[in-house]
Amino acid sequence: MHIKELPLDERPIEKAIKYGLDKLSNVELLALIIHTGTKERSAKELAEEILSKDKDGIRHLANCEVEELEELEGIGPAKAARILASVELGKRVANWTGPERYIRSSEDAADLLMEDMRYLMKEFFKVILLNSKGKLITVDTVSVGELNAASVHPREVFSKAIKRGAAAIVLAHNHPSGDPTPSSEDINTTKRLIEVGSLMGIPVLDHVIIGDGKFSSLRRQRLF
């Protein structure tokens, strides 16, 4: 059945206008973005196929590529680009810091990075740069790949902090498994970077590990 054949209250656009976007299902929201279907299938049916393509459902879109979506019949480059543009826009809204943002706790650091990092399929090691009052300067990506002493070099961690005049930093990385429990390598890397930061006068305030909707703080756990 095509969308135009549905009762008005069941059509995504009309339903969104009448009841609000928060009342729409994931399939209906995606159908709105796809906008038009094909002769054989409606936009809603295309949305259902996209969300059933992977066991993670809508979460799969966070790491999807345009070419991957184009493999589905009825999804061309324009539709694929619109879908992933909406995903990227959602990430940017979630991570928007506003004119000022302060990082004064592990929760603040986790809130800053959670939506951007919780679905990543590789480990990303980032450094949050702060001024003397704890105000966010920027977030710097240091390395991508499994965390170890070779991939996280102190030079890469502190180079931008020095250039931007950071007074302190917070380390952060994600665990693609979704479990933020610190590993022995996480702890050893943190201790090494704390020693370097102490020598350089740029203290490491914490190391936050991002999981799927949860995080761990090495400082809170007294692991350094």
Side-chain angles (χ1 to χ4, degrees), residues 142-190:
V142 174
S143 70
V144 180
E146 186 176 352
L147 177 61
N148 55 55
S151 67
V152 184
H153 195 282
R155 178 181 61 251
E156 303 301 324
V157 172
F158 290 96
S159 61
K160 186 166 286 189
I162 294 171
K163 291 179 182 178
R164 299 295 297 269
I169 64 173
V170 174
L171 310 175
H173 81 285
N174 64 299
H175 281 179
S177 67
D179 180 3
T181 303
S183 67
S184 58
E185 190 64 55
D186 295 337
I187 297 169
N188 292 335
T189 299
T190 303

Side-chain angles (χ1 to χ4, degrees), residues 93-218:
V93 170
N95 295 322
W96 184 67
T97 61
E100 291 186 348
R101 185 157 186 168
Y102 291 84
I103 306 298
R104 296 192 171 106
S105 66
S106 56
E107 286 83 4
D108 290 343
D111 287 345
L112 175 67
L113 300 174
M114 180 62 72
E115 291 308 312
D116 185 43
M117 299 184 72
R118 65 185 296 184
Y119 303 125
L120 296 174
M121 303 306 291
K122 294 182 180 179
E123 286 195 12
F124 280 69
F125 190 92
K126 296 177 180 282
V127 180
I128 302 172
L129 308 184
L130 307 172
N131 69 11
S132 59
K133 295 183 179 179
K135 181 181 175 182
L136 175 67
I137 298 174
T138 190
V139 178
D140 182 32
T141 298
V142 174
S143 70
V144 180
E146 186 176 352
L147 177 61
N148 55 55
S151 67
V152 184
H153 195 282
R155 178 181 61 251
E156 303 301 324
V157 172
F158 290 96
S159 61
K160 186 166 286 189
I162 294 171
K163 291 179 182 178
R164 299 295 297 269
I169 64 173
V170 174
L171 310 175
H173 81 285
N174 64 299
H175 281 179
S177 67
D179 180 3
T181 303
S183 67
S184 58
E185 190 64 55
D186 295 337
I187 297 169
N188 292 335
T189 299
T190 303
K191 290 180 177 178
R192 185 166 61 97
L193 294 174
I194 286 173
E195 291 176 1
V196 174
S198 179
L199 292 173
M200 300 184 70
I202 304 176
V204 175
L205 303 181
D206 200 352
H207 186 169
V208 174
I209 301 175
I210 303 295
D212 185 7
K214 51 189 175 181
F215 73 95
S216 63
S217 159
L218 271 69

Side-chain angles (χ1 to χ4, degrees), residues 45-62:
E45 289 171 326
L46 290 175
E48 288 173 344
E49 182 176 357
I50 290 172
L51 295 182
S52 64
K53 189 175 186 298
D54 187 275
K55 61 181 178 61
D56 286 335
I58 196 169
R59 289 178 52 181
H60 175 63
L61 294 177

